[in-house]
Amino acid sequence: MLKHGEHMVKANISISLRHVLQHEGGWSNHPKDPGGATNMGVTQRVYDAFRDREGQPRRSVRAITADEVGEIYKRQYWDAIRGDDLPSGLDYALFDYAVNSGPRRAAQDIQRELGVTADGIIGQVTLAAIAKEDVYSLIERLCARRMRFLRGLRHWNTFGKGWTRRVTEVQEIALSMATDPESTNSVPLMAVEAKAQDALRENIAQSATVQATVIDVAAKAGAGVAALSALDDRWVQLAVIGLLGVAVIASLVIFRERLRAWADGWR
């Protein structure tokens, strides 16, 4: 029979993974994302390395399965930050940081907050220091340090809004988990794939909206140009052309802002 602590650990990794994947979403390949092609938060490079270790042929990260996602996150991030040995809430906060910015960076920042050697390895010294801390305060301080790191990145202007929203939500959920570790029910990893498919369908719908905006602008411009043939006065024609040009430019500016907001929402 499992001990109480072992049961809680199992629940926490499932809860934590679910929340991480809600932030990571499905397939993306943002031109300014240094990670490149990504699916459910797993980059092509990480997926290639995983398949190599498993003795499996490489393939597009688009084809990654829910089981592979769960295994990668546990091996590369949860185990790296010693998630099984951390207090509830702090395990999720540090796990999400590790996924977003790398386990070494996450480990170093909590070590800096604790005042121990920041070697990026969660060992007995770090765990002993954590045990002496108030977990609520440590979660808040870790998230504040994480935000300071993110603000210094060169992609802040592109992804800053999404990063801020993510860290704010992580802190709220982590504090709730610290209060009641069983407050959020776990879900099977089989649900991960369905969540990613929902995100992908939303991505396609947003893309269709953007395309419709472009087509609408082009149609209106074409109709305006055709109407010019009915005008005899050259000066009137030039005036109408000028007005059409202003309208097209204004529409494209609005389109650009919609596209930027849509892209920011995926980070």
Side-chain angles (χ1 to χ4, degrees):
M1 179 179 294
L2 289 174
K3 297 179 181 178
H4 178 68
E6 292 174 332
H7 172 74
M8 295 304 297
V9 165
K10 181 179 180 181
N12 274 11
I13 187 172
S14 180
I15 292 169
S16 299
L17 180 56
R18 183 187 68 180
H19 288 305
V20 165
L21 290 173
Q22 285 176 334
H23 283 121
E24 291 294 338
W27 164 261
S28 67
N29 194 9
H30 196 289
K32 291 188 178 180
D33 186 345
T38 305
N39 194 11
M40 290 185 272
V42 179
T43 66
Q44 185 66 59
R45 180 179 59 82
V46 168
Y47 190 44
D48 286 344
F50 172 79
R51 298 280 293 183
D52 290 346
R53 287 196 303 270
E54 295 295 308
Q56 298 292 327
R58 293 186 179 186
R59 63 184 181 184
S60 171
V61 73
R62 279 181 181 269
I64 195 170
T65 67
D67 287 342
E68 289 176 321
V69 169
E71 189 66 25
I72 288 172
Y73 274 99
K74 184 178 187 304
R75 284 189 198 176
Q76 189 153 330
Y77 303 106
W78 183 265
D79 290 347
I81 55 101
R82 299 285 292 271
D84 288 352
D85 299 315
L86 298 177
S88 292
L90 181 62
D91 52 4
Y92 165 57
L94 195 61
F95 178 50
D96 189 87
Y97 192 173
V99 170
N100 197 210
S101 301
R104 181 174 177 82
R105 162 65 62 178
Q108 286 177 324
D109 263 5
I110 196 169
Q111 288 172 328
R112 293 185 182 105
E113 200 58 48
L114 293 166
V116 300
T117 302
D119 58 7
I121 301 173
I122 304 293
Q124 293 305 314
V125 173
T126 302
L127 293 174
I130 289 172
K132 297 176 183 178
E133 292 278 341
D134 174 76
V135 67
Y136 302 99
S137 173
L138 190 54
I139 289 170
E140 291 174 344
R141 284 151 46 202
L142 175 66
C143 289
R145 186 177 282 273
R146 179 179 176 182
M147 283 304 305
R148 290 196 295 272
F149 163 68
L150 291 172
R151 289 191 187 98
L153 297 179
R154 61 190 179 92
H155 295 301
W156 171 259
N157 290 337
T158 302
F159 301 124
K161 287 175 60 177
W163 288 339
T164 301
R165 182 173 61 250
R166 176 171 181 160
V167 176
T168 299
E169 292 175 359
V170 166
Q171 179 172 312
E172 291 175 356
I173 294 170
L175 291 173
S176 176
M177 290 174 65
T179 301
D180 181 5
E182 294 183 322
S183 62
T184 308
N185 294 325
S186 62
V187 295
L189 285 180
M190 290 295 290
V192 171
E193 210 161 50
K195 171 68 71 174
Q197 291 301 320
D198 289 343
L200 183 58
R201 280 193 290 272
E202 182 181 353
N203 188 356
I204 293 171
Q206 290 280 8
S207 178
T209 300
V210 170
Q211 291 174 7
T213 302
V214 175
I215 292 171
D216 183 59
V217 170
K220 288 178 179 177
V225 171
L228 288 177
S229 62
L231 299 176
D232 296 328
D233 192 310
R234 175 177 293 276
W235 291 108
V236 173
Q237 289 180 340
L238 291 175
V240 173
I241 289 174
L243 290 174
L244 282 173
V246 171
V248 170
I249 291 172
S251 298
L252 290 176
V253 169
I254 294 172
F255 160 68
R256 185 191 65 181
E257 293 305 315
R258 286 183 179 177
L259 182 60
R260 181 177 295 170
W262 168 59
D264 287 347
W266 274 85
R267 298 302 301 171

mmCIF file of all heavy atoms in Angstrom, residues 58-97:
data_model
loop_
_atom_site.group_PDB
_atom_site.id
_atom_site.type_symbol
_atom_site.label_atom_id
_atom_site.label_comp_id
_atom_site.label_asym_id
_atom_site.label_seq_id
_atom_site.Cartn_x
_atom_site.Cartn_y
_atom_site.Cartn_z
ATOM 1 N N ARG A 58 13.861 9.742 -35.689
ATOM 2 C CA ARG A 58 13.366 11.101 -35.472
ATOM 3 C C ARG A 58 12.126 11.358 -36.326
ATOM 4 O O ARG A 58 11.973 10.779 -37.401
ATOM 5 C CB ARG A 58 14.445 12.128 -35.807
ATOM 6 C CG ARG A 58 15.629 12.096 -34.852
ATOM 7 C CD ARG A 58 16.589 13.235 -35.154
ATOM 8 N NE ARG A 58 17.720 13.247 -34.226
ATOM 9 C CZ ARG A 58 18.657 14.196 -34.189
ATOM 10 N NH1 ARG A 58 18.589 15.213 -35.051
ATOM 11 N NH2 ARG A 58 19.640 14.147 -33.309
ATOM 12 N N ARG A 59 11.273 12.230 -35.839
ATOM 13 C CA ARG A 59 10.089 12.647 -36.585
ATOM 14 C C ARG A 59 9.656 14.022 -36.084
ATOM 15 O O ARG A 59 10.184 14.526 -35.073
ATOM 16 C CB ARG A 59 8.953 11.641 -36.420
ATOM 17 C CG ARG A 59 8.436 11.498 -34.991
ATOM 18 C CD ARG A 59 7.375 10.419 -34.904
ATOM 19 N NE ARG A 59 6.836 10.283 -33.551
ATOM 20 C CZ ARG A 59 5.948 9.370 -33.185
ATOM 21 N NH1 ARG A 59 5.520 8.491 -34.080
ATOM 22 N NH2 ARG A 59 5.491 9.317 -31.951
ATOM 23 N N SER A 60 8.719 14.631 -36.779
ATOM 24 C CA SER A 60 8.259 15.962 -36.406
ATOM 25 C C SER A 60 7.634 15.952 -35.015
ATOM 26 O O SER A 60 6.929 15.010 -34.634
ATOM 27 C CB SER A 60 7.230 16.474 -37.414
ATOM 28 O OG SER A 60 6.627 17.676 -36.946
ATOM 29 N N VAL A 61 7.904 17.004 -34.258
ATOM 30 C CA VAL A 61 7.326 17.126 -32.917
ATOM 31 C C VAL A 61 5.806 17.259 -32.981
ATOM 32 O O VAL A 61 5.124 17.070 -31.977
ATOM 33 C CB VAL A 61 7.965 18.318 -32.167
ATOM 34 C CG1 VAL A 61 7.462 19.652 -32.728
ATOM 35 C CG2 VAL A 61 7.700 18.230 -30.667
ATOM 36 N N ARG A 62 5.268 17.542 -34.151
ATOM 37 C CA ARG A 62 3.815 17.549 -34.317
ATOM 38 C C ARG A 62 3.212 16.183 -33.977
ATOM 39 O O ARG A 62 2.052 16.082 -33.569
ATOM 40 C CB ARG A 62 3.442 17.889 -35.761
ATOM 41 C CG ARG A 62 3.450 19.370 -36.116
ATOM 42 C CD ARG A 62 3.039 19.532 -37.567
ATOM 43 N NE ARG A 62 3.038 20.915 -38.009
ATOM 44 C CZ ARG A 62 1.994 21.735 -37.950
ATOM 45 N NH1 ARG A 62 0.866 21.308 -37.443
ATOM 46 N NH2 ARG A 62 2.081 22.975 -38.392
ATOM 47 N N ALA A 63 4.000 15.116 -34.159
ATOM 48 C CA ALA A 63 3.497 13.750 -33.972
ATOM 49 C C ALA A 63 3.722 13.234 -32.555
ATOM 50 O O ALA A 63 3.461 12.061 -32.280
ATOM 51 C CB ALA A 63 4.168 12.816 -34.978
ATOM 52 N N ILE A 64 4.198 14.066 -31.641
ATOM 53 C CA ILE A 64 4.486 13.610 -30.285
ATOM 54 C C ILE A 64 3.213 13.089 -29.616
ATOM 55 O O ILE A 64 2.124 13.614 -29.832
ATOM 56 C CB ILE A 64 5.111 14.755 -29.451
ATOM 57 C CG1 ILE A 64 5.742 14.210 -28.168
ATOM 58 C CG2 ILE A 64 4.086 15.840 -29.144
ATOM 59 C CD1 ILE A 64 6.589 15.240 -27.432
ATOM 60 N N THR A 65 3.355 12.024 -28.820
ATOM 61 C CA THR A 65 2.194 11.428 -28.152
ATOM 62 C C THR A 65 2.100 11.918 -26.710
ATOM 63 O O THR A 65 3.065 12.451 -26.146
ATOM 64 C CB THR A 65 2.303 9.894 -28.148
ATOM 65 O OG1 THR A 65 3.411 9.507 -27.309
ATOM 66 C CG2 THR A 65 2.513 9.351 -29.558
ATOM 67 N N ALA A 66 0.939 11.705 -26.103
ATOM 68 C CA ALA A 66 0.729 12.111 -24.713
ATOM 69 C C ALA A 66 1.694 11.381 -23.775
ATOM 70 O O ALA A 66 2.220 11.976 -22.825
ATOM 71 C CB ALA A 66 -0.715 11.844 -24.305
ATOM 72 N N ASP A 67 1.947 10.101 -24.035
ATOM 73 C CA ASP A 67 2.871 9.342 -23.192
ATOM 74 C C ASP A 67 4.288 9.908 -23.282
ATOM 75 O O ASP A 67 5.002 10.001 -22.282
ATOM 76 C CB ASP A 67 2.879 7.870 -23.598
ATOM 77 C CG ASP A 67 1.603 7.145 -23.173
ATOM 78 O OD1 ASP A 67 0.895 7.667 -22.287
ATOM 79 O OD2 ASP A 67 1.318 6.067 -23.721
ATOM 80 N N GLU A 68 4.706 10.271 -24.499
ATOM 81 C CA GLU A 68 6.042 10.850 -24.672
ATOM 82 C C GLU A 68 6.142 12.196 -23.963
ATOM 83 O O GLU A 68 7.171 12.499 -23.336
ATOM 84 C CB GLU A 68 6.352 11.011 -26.160
ATOM 85 C CG GLU A 68 6.597 9.699 -26.887
ATOM 86 C CD GLU A 68 6.812 9.890 -28.376
ATOM 87 O OE1 GLU A 68 6.110 10.739 -28.985
ATOM 88 O OE2 GLU A 68 7.670 9.184 -28.954
ATOM 89 N N VAL A 69 5.086 12.998 -24.047
ATOM 90 C CA VAL A 69 5.079 14.291 -23.369
ATOM 91 C C VAL A 69 5.261 14.099 -21.862
ATOM 92 O O VAL A 69 6.092 14.750 -21.224
ATOM 93 C CB VAL A 69 3.762 15.047 -23.643
ATOM 94 C CG1 VAL A 69 3.628 16.266 -22.737
ATOM 95 C CG2 VAL A 69 3.699 15.493 -25.100
ATOM 96 N N GLY A 70 4.476 13.185 -21.290
ATOM 97 C CA GLY A 70 4.575 12.931 -19.859
ATOM 98 C C GLY A 70 5.957 12.457 -19.447
ATOM 99 O O GLY A 70 6.501 12.886 -18.429
ATOM 100 N N GLU A 71 6.557 11.584 -20.244
ATOM 101 C CA GLU A 71 7.887 11.054 -19.930
ATOM 102 C C GLU A 71 8.956 12.133 -20.018
ATOM 103 O O GLU A 71 9.848 12.221 -19.165
ATOM 104 C CB GLU A 71 8.212 9.904 -20.885
ATOM 105 C CG GLU A 71 9.477 9.134 -20.524
ATOM 106 C CD GLU A 71 9.364 8.384 -19.208
ATOM 107 O OE1 GLU A 71 8.235 8.050 -18.806
ATOM 108 O OE2 GLU A 71 10.407 8.147 -18.577
ATOM 109 N N ILE A 72 8.881 12.967 -21.043
ATOM 110 C CA ILE A 72 9.870 14.044 -21.206
ATOM 111 C C ILE A 72 9.793 15.029 -20.050
ATOM 112 O O ILE A 72 10.813 15.417 -19.472
ATOM 113 C CB ILE A 72 9.661 14.764 -22.559
ATOM 114 C CG1 ILE A 72 10.098 13.852 -23.710
ATOM 115 C CG2 ILE A 72 10.429 16.085 -22.598
ATOM 116 C CD1 ILE A 72 9.752 14.388 -25.084
ATOM 117 N N TYR A 73 8.586 15.436 -19.704
ATOM 118 C CA TYR A 73 8.442 16.408 -18.624
ATOM 119 C C TYR A 73 8.917 15.848 -17.290
ATOM 120 O O TYR A 73 9.534 16.555 -16.497
ATOM 121 C CB TYR A 73 6.982 16.855 -18.519
ATOM 122 C CG TYR A 73 6.641 17.995 -19.445
ATOM 123 C CD1 TYR A 73 6.000 17.762 -20.660
ATOM 124 C CD2 TYR A 73 6.956 19.305 -19.120
ATOM 125 C CE1 TYR A 73 5.689 18.810 -21.512
ATOM 126 C CE2 TYR A 73 6.648 20.359 -19.961
ATOM 127 C CZ TYR A 73 6.011 20.096 -21.160
ATOM 128 O OH TYR A 73 5.715 21.135 -22.014
ATOM 129 N N LYS A 74 8.635 14.570 -17.039
ATOM 130 C CA LYS A 74 9.070 13.986 -15.770
ATOM 131 C C LYS A 74 10.588 13.860 -15.712
ATOM 132 O O LYS A 74 11.223 14.275 -14.742
ATOM 133 C CB LYS A 74 8.431 12.620 -15.548
ATOM 134 C CG LYS A 74 8.796 12.028 -14.181
ATOM 135 C CD LYS A 74 8.128 10.693 -13.932
ATOM 136 C CE LYS A 74 8.393 10.235 -12.503
ATOM 137 N NZ LYS A 74 9.823 10.149 -12.170
ATOM 138 N N ARG A 75 11.177 13.296 -16.768
ATOM 139 C CA ARG A 75 12.631 13.076 -16.772
ATOM 140 C C ARG A 75 13.418 14.389 -16.768
ATOM 141 O O ARG A 75 14.345 14.575 -15.988
ATOM 142 C CB ARG A 75 13.042 12.296 -18.025
ATOM 143 C CG ARG A 75 12.743 10.824 -18.004
ATOM 144 C CD ARG A 75 13.420 10.205 -19.218
ATOM 145 N NE ARG A 75 12.905 8.905 -19.571
ATOM 146 C CZ ARG A 75 13.291 8.226 -20.642
ATOM 147 N NH1 ARG A 75 14.188 8.763 -21.473
ATOM 148 N NH2 ARG A 75 12.790 7.040 -20.904
ATOM 149 N N GLN A 76 13.029 15.279 -17.682
ATOM 150 C CA GLN A 76 13.876 16.440 -17.954
ATOM 151 C C GLN A 76 13.626 17.612 -17.019
ATOM 152 O O GLN A 76 14.527 18.431 -16.812
ATOM 153 C CB GLN A 76 13.684 16.888 -19.408
ATOM 154 C CG GLN A 76 14.683 17.940 -19.857
ATOM 155 C CD GLN A 76 14.921 17.887 -21.348
ATOM 156 O OE1 GLN A 76 14.825 16.822 -21.977
ATOM 157 N NE2 GLN A 76 15.225 19.029 -21.942
ATOM 158 N N TYR A 77 12.433 17.685 -16.453
ATOM 159 C CA TYR A 77 12.115 18.861 -15.639
ATOM 160 C C TYR A 77 11.724 18.503 -14.201
ATOM 161 O O TYR A 77 12.335 18.999 -13.255
ATOM 162 C CB TYR A 77 10.989 19.671 -16.312
ATOM 163 C CG TYR A 77 11.348 20.090 -17.720
ATOM 164 C CD1 TYR A 77 10.766 19.461 -18.817
ATOM 165 C CD2 TYR A 77 12.286 21.086 -17.960
ATOM 166 C CE1 TYR A 77 11.093 19.831 -20.114
ATOM 167 C CE2 TYR A 77 12.626 21.466 -19.243
ATOM 168 C CZ TYR A 77 12.021 20.830 -20.318
ATOM 169 O OH TYR A 77 12.369 21.192 -21.598
ATOM 170 N N TRP A 78 10.729 17.645 -14.027
ATOM 171 C CA TRP A 78 10.270 17.314 -12.676
ATOM 172 C C TRP A 78 11.370 16.653 -11.855
ATOM 173 O O TRP A 78 11.659 17.069 -10.726
ATOM 174 C CB TRP A 78 9.045 16.407 -12.750
ATOM 175 C CG TRP A 78 8.448 16.054 -11.416
ATOM 176 C CD1 TRP A 78 8.689 14.933 -10.677
ATOM 177 C CD2 TRP A 78 7.510 16.830 -10.663
ATOM 178 N NE1 TRP A 78 7.958 14.949 -9.512
ATOM 179 C CE2 TRP A 78 7.225 16.103 -9.478
ATOM 180 C CE3 TRP A 78 6.877 18.059 -10.875
ATOM 181 C CZ2 TRP A 78 6.334 16.580 -8.511
ATOM 182 C CZ3 TRP A 78 5.984 18.529 -9.911
ATOM 183 C CH2 TRP A 78 5.723 17.796 -8.749
ATOM 184 N N ASP A 79 11.996 15.636 -12.410
ATOM 185 C CA ASP A 79 13.068 14.954 -11.676
ATOM 186 C C ASP A 79 14.281 15.869 -11.486
ATOM 187 O O ASP A 79 14.964 15.792 -10.459
ATOM 188 C CB ASP A 79 13.497 13.681 -12.411
ATOM 189 C CG ASP A 79 12.432 12.589 -12.351
ATOM 190 O OD1 ASP A 79 11.477 12.723 -11.550
ATOM 191 O OD2 ASP A 79 12.543 11.615 -13.118
ATOM 192 N N ALA A 80 14.538 16.731 -12.463
ATOM 193 C CA ALA A 80 15.704 17.623 -12.377
ATOM 194 C C ALA A 80 15.596 18.610 -11.219
ATOM 195 O O ALA A 80 16.615 18.994 -10.627
ATOM 196 C CB ALA A 80 15.880 18.383 -13.687
ATOM 197 N N ILE A 81 14.363 19.017 -10.869
ATOM 198 C CA ILE A 81 14.209 19.968 -9.764
ATOM 199 C C ILE A 81 13.773 19.258 -8.476
ATOM 200 O O ILE A 81 13.378 19.912 -7.510
ATOM 201 C CB ILE A 81 13.236 21.107 -10.144
ATOM 202 C CG1 ILE A 81 11.880 20.562 -10.602
ATOM 203 C CG2 ILE A 81 13.827 21.984 -11.238
ATOM 204 C CD1 ILE A 81 10.800 20.631 -9.575
ATOM 205 N N ARG A 82 13.859 17.932 -8.481
ATOM 206 C CA ARG A 82 13.518 17.121 -7.311
ATOM 207 C C ARG A 82 12.077 17.375 -6.868
ATOM 208 O O ARG A 82 11.778 17.565 -5.679
ATOM 209 C CB ARG A 82 14.486 17.400 -6.156
ATOM 210 C CG ARG A 82 15.949 17.082 -6.419
ATOM 211 C CD ARG A 82 16.244 15.602 -6.399
ATOM 212 N NE ARG A 82 16.105 15.043 -5.066
ATOM 213 C CZ ARG A 82 17.103 14.980 -4.175
ATOM 214 N NH1 ARG A 82 18.312 15.438 -4.488
ATOM 215 N NH2 ARG A 82 16.898 14.437 -2.987
ATOM 216 N N GLY A 83 11.174 17.369 -7.835
ATOM 217 C CA GLY A 83 9.778 17.683 -7.546
ATOM 218 C C GLY A 83 9.163 16.800 -6.468
ATOM 219 O O GLY A 83 8.344 17.266 -5.670
ATOM 220 N N ASP A 84 9.563 15.527 -6.416
ATOM 221 C CA ASP A 84 9.002 14.612 -5.425
ATOM 222 C C ASP A 84 9.379 14.997 -3.998
ATOM 223 O O ASP A 84 8.714 14.578 -3.045
ATOM 224 C CB ASP A 84 9.492 13.183 -5.694
ATOM 225 C CG ASP A 84 8.849 12.574 -6.928
ATOM 226 O OD1 ASP A 84 7.924 13.197 -7.485
ATOM 227 O OD2 ASP A 84 9.288 11.482 -7.347
ATOM 228 N N ASP A 85 10.464 15.771 -3.839
ATOM 229 C CA ASP A 85 10.968 16.102 -2.505
ATOM 230 C C ASP A 85 10.625 17.528 -2.066
ATOM 231 O O ASP A 85 11.049 17.952 -0.987
ATOM 232 C CB ASP A 85 12.498 15.933 -2.476
ATOM 233 C CG ASP A 85 12.931 14.501 -2.780
ATOM 234 O OD1 ASP A 85 12.326 13.581 -2.219
ATOM 235 O OD2 ASP A 85 13.850 14.316 -3.591
ATOM 236 N N LEU A 86 9.860 18.239 -2.885
ATOM 237 C CA LEU A 86 9.545 19.631 -2.573
ATOM 238 C C LEU A 86 8.163 19.754 -1.949
ATOM 239 O O LEU A 86 7.283 18.923 -2.198
ATOM 240 C CB LEU A 86 9.597 20.478 -3.847
ATOM 241 C CG LEU A 86 10.955 20.552 -4.556
ATOM 242 C CD1 LEU A 86 10.824 21.363 -5.836
ATOM 243 C CD2 LEU A 86 12.010 21.152 -3.645
ATOM 244 N N PRO A 87 7.942 20.791 -1.158
ATOM 245 C CA PRO A 87 6.604 21.015 -0.576
ATOM 246 C C PRO A 87 5.578 21.278 -1.674
ATOM 247 O O PRO A 87 5.899 21.800 -2.742
ATOM 248 C CB PRO A 87 6.801 22.269 0.292
ATOM 249 C CG PRO A 87 8.272 22.388 0.506
ATOM 250 C CD PRO A 87 8.918 21.802 -0.711
ATOM 251 N N SER A 88 4.331 20.919 -1.392
ATOM 252 C CA SER A 88 3.255 21.175 -2.341
ATOM 253 C C SER A 88 3.150 22.670 -2.638
ATOM 254 O O SER A 88 3.220 23.503 -1.743
ATOM 255 C CB SER A 88 1.922 20.678 -1.769
ATOM 256 O OG SER A 88 1.911 19.285 -1.678
ATOM 257 N N GLY A 89 2.972 22.982 -3.901
ATOM 258 C CA GLY A 89 2.908 24.378 -4.329
ATOM 259 C C GLY A 89 4.253 24.844 -4.830
ATOM 260 O O GLY A 89 4.373 25.312 -5.969
ATOM 261 N N LEU A 90 5.272 24.689 -4.015
ATOM 262 C CA LEU A 90 6.616 25.053 -4.459
ATOM 263 C C LEU A 90 7.063 24.112 -5.574
ATOM 264 O O LEU A 90 7.756 24.535 -6.508
ATOM 265 C CB LEU A 90 7.606 24.987 -3.291
ATOM 266 C CG LEU A 90 9.055 25.379 -3.631
ATOM 267 C CD1 LEU A 90 9.138 26.822 -4.109
ATOM 268 C CD2 LEU A 90 9.969 25.147 -2.436
ATOM 269 N N ASP A 91 6.659 22.843 -5.497
ATOM 270 C CA ASP A 91 7.035 21.894 -6.558
ATOM 271 C C ASP A 91 6.497 22.360 -7.903
ATOM 272 O O ASP A 91 7.208 22.350 -8.906
ATOM 273 C CB ASP A 91 6.557 20.474 -6.222
ATOM 274 C CG ASP A 91 5.073 20.383 -5.852
ATOM 275 O OD1 ASP A 91 4.362 21.411 -5.913
ATOM 276 O OD2 ASP A 91 4.623 19.271 -5.492
ATOM 277 N N TYR A 92 5.241 22.793 -7.936
ATOM 278 C CA TYR A 92 4.649 23.269 -9.188
ATOM 279 C C TYR A 92 5.303 24.565 -9.666
ATOM 280 O O TYR A 92 5.616 24.713 -10.856
ATOM 281 C CB TYR A 92 3.143 23.469 -9.011
ATOM 282 C CG TYR A 92 2.521 24.293 -10.110
ATOM 283 C CD1 TYR A 92 2.633 23.913 -11.449
ATOM 284 C CD2 TYR A 92 1.825 25.470 -9.821
ATOM 285 C CE1 TYR A 92 2.071 24.682 -12.469
ATOM 286 C CE2 TYR A 92 1.260 26.235 -10.826
ATOM 287 C CZ TYR A 92 1.388 25.839 -12.142
ATOM 288 O OH TYR A 92 0.849 26.601 -13.141
ATOM 289 N N ALA A 93 5.518 25.514 -8.760
ATOM 290 C CA ALA A 93 6.111 26.804 -9.141
ATOM 291 C C ALA A 93 7.504 26.616 -9.737
ATOM 292 O O ALA A 93 7.848 27.232 -10.759
ATOM 293 C CB ALA A 93 6.173 27.739 -7.932
ATOM 294 N N LEU A 94 8.303 25.752 -9.126
ATOM 295 C CA LEU A 94 9.657 25.525 -9.624
ATOM 296 C C LEU A 94 9.632 24.698 -10.908
ATOM 297 O O LEU A 94 10.447 24.911 -11.825
ATOM 298 C CB LEU A 94 10.498 24.824 -8.550
ATOM 299 C CG LEU A 94 12.015 24.829 -8.778
ATOM 300 C CD1 LEU A 94 12.558 26.255 -8.818
ATOM 301 C CD2 LEU A 94 12.730 24.035 -7.690
ATOM 302 N N PHE A 95 8.704 23.764 -11.006
ATOM 303 C CA PHE A 95 8.543 22.938 -12.203
ATOM 304 C C PHE A 95 8.200 23.795 -13.417
ATOM 305 O O PHE A 95 8.800 23.672 -14.488
ATOM 306 C CB PHE A 95 7.443 21.910 -11.926
ATOM 307 C CG PHE A 95 7.109 20.986 -13.070
ATOM 308 C CD1 PHE A 95 8.088 20.290 -13.758
ATOM 309 C CD2 PHE A 95 5.780 20.773 -13.440
ATOM 310 C CE1 PHE A 95 7.766 19.416 -14.796
ATOM 311 C CE2 PHE A 95 5.444 19.903 -14.461
ATOM 312 C CZ PHE A 95 6.445 19.230 -15.144
ATOM 313 N N ASP A 96 7.237 24.702 -13.244
ATOM 314 C CA ASP A 96 6.834 25.564 -14.357
ATOM 315 C C ASP A 96 7.994 26.471 -14.776
ATOM 316 O O ASP A 96 8.215 26.696 -15.970
ATOM 317 C CB ASP A 96 5.630 26.415 -13.962
ATOM 318 C CG ASP A 96 5.045 27.160 -15.143
ATOM 319 O OD1 ASP A 96 4.196 26.582 -15.846
ATOM 320 O OD2 ASP A 96 5.436 28.323 -15.384
ATOM 321 N N TYR A 97 8.738 26.979 -13.817
ATOM 322 C CA TYR A 97 9.913 27.806 -14.108
ATOM 323 C C TYR A 97 10.926 26.997 -14.907
ATOM 324 O O TYR A 97 11.496 27.477 -15.901
ATOM 325 C CB TYR A 97 10.514 28.292 -12.793
ATOM 326 C CG TYR A 97 11.558 29.392 -12.905
ATOM 327 C CD1 TYR A 97 12.049 30.000 -11.755
ATOM 328 C CD2 TYR A 97 12.063 29.821 -14.133
ATOM 329 C CE1 TYR A 97 12.996 31.007 -11.823
ATOM 330 C CE2 TYR A 97 13.017 30.822 -14.211
ATOM 331 C CZ TYR A 97 13.473 31.412 -13.052
ATOM 332 O OH TYR A 97 14.419 32.404 -13.131
#
